[in-house]
Amino acid sequence: MAIVWLAVALIFAVVEVATAVLFGGFITLGALAAAVAAFIGADLLTQAIVFAVVSMLGLVVARRPLMAYLKARHGPETLSGAYAMIGQNAVVVDPITGEHRRGHVRIAGEDWPALSRDGLPVEKGTVVRVVEINKATLLVDRVSVTPGHSAEGLPEGPSEG
């Protein structure tokens, strides 16, 4: 009977790896405990009780705190692609000339079509902040830059040359 419990443990271990919800893992532990009980000569009823107690104990007592720990450890979701640009500063490289007249901004070394959120024109060289993305167009607001600082707000170092 120990072989049957080991097979059950293997099946639920595979299920746990596939789902990672900390359910199959506790069933696996219960099946391993039942296999140990079978190996030492316990009857089928005792094996079933050991399986049920160990599995349920894990599910009831340990699963919730372990899931909370794993979720807390996960950290914030990382944005990628265009959505990672929201909140970043950019420089206007082609002027935005009106409410529905796109210009272009340079951000992360790439030029993107942009409109000002307030619909007013924005001149070339102006520092703007990306506040929204509408399809493939960035909506931007003007940013005031302190003299002697970069668009990111960092002090500019001595010029090379």
Side-chain angles (χ1 to χ4, degrees):
M1 192 64 187
I3 300 291
V4 173
W5 287 116
L6 290 175
V8 170
L10 180 63
I11 290 168
F12 278 98
V14 170
V15 168
E16 179 62 37
V17 170
T19 61
V21 294
L22 294 181
F23 180 78
F26 292 114
I27 303 298
T28 299
L29 290 176
L32 289 174
V36 169
F39 184 73
I40 62 173
D43 64 355
L44 188 57
L45 179 61
T46 304
Q47 294 171 35
I49 291 171
V50 167
F51 170 73
V53 167
V54 171
S55 298
M56 292 306 292
L57 194 62
L59 288 170
V60 171
V61 174
R63 185 176 182 272
R64 184 171 295 194
L66 285 173
M67 289 299 287
Y69 170 75
L70 291 174
K71 284 181 183 177
R73 203 177 131 204
H74 182 267
E77 190 172 320
T78 302
L79 295 175
S80 62
Y83 290 100
M85 291 188 274
I86 294 175
Q88 301 294 317
N89 288 350
V91 176
V92 177
V93 292
D94 292 323
I96 300 169
T97 57
E99 184 173 358
H100 297 291
R101 302 180 140 215
R102 292 184 181 128
H104 288 87
V105 297
R106 182 159 296 144
I107 183 166
E110 297 179 348
D111 291 353
W112 283 77
L115 290 169
S116 63
R117 188 164 58 163
D118 59 11
L120 297 175
V122 182
E123 295 186 18
K124 179 178 178 176
T126 303
V127 177
V128 293
R129 177 165 291 127
V130 178
V131 293
E132 193 177 330
I133 298 175
N134 186 356
K135 298 182 184 170
T137 302
L138 305 179
L139 296 176
V140 298
D141 282 340
R142 287 169 195 76
V143 174
S144 59
V145 177
T146 306
H149 289 71
S150 69
E152 291 77 28
L154 302 172
E156 292 179 344
S159 62
E160 296 179 18

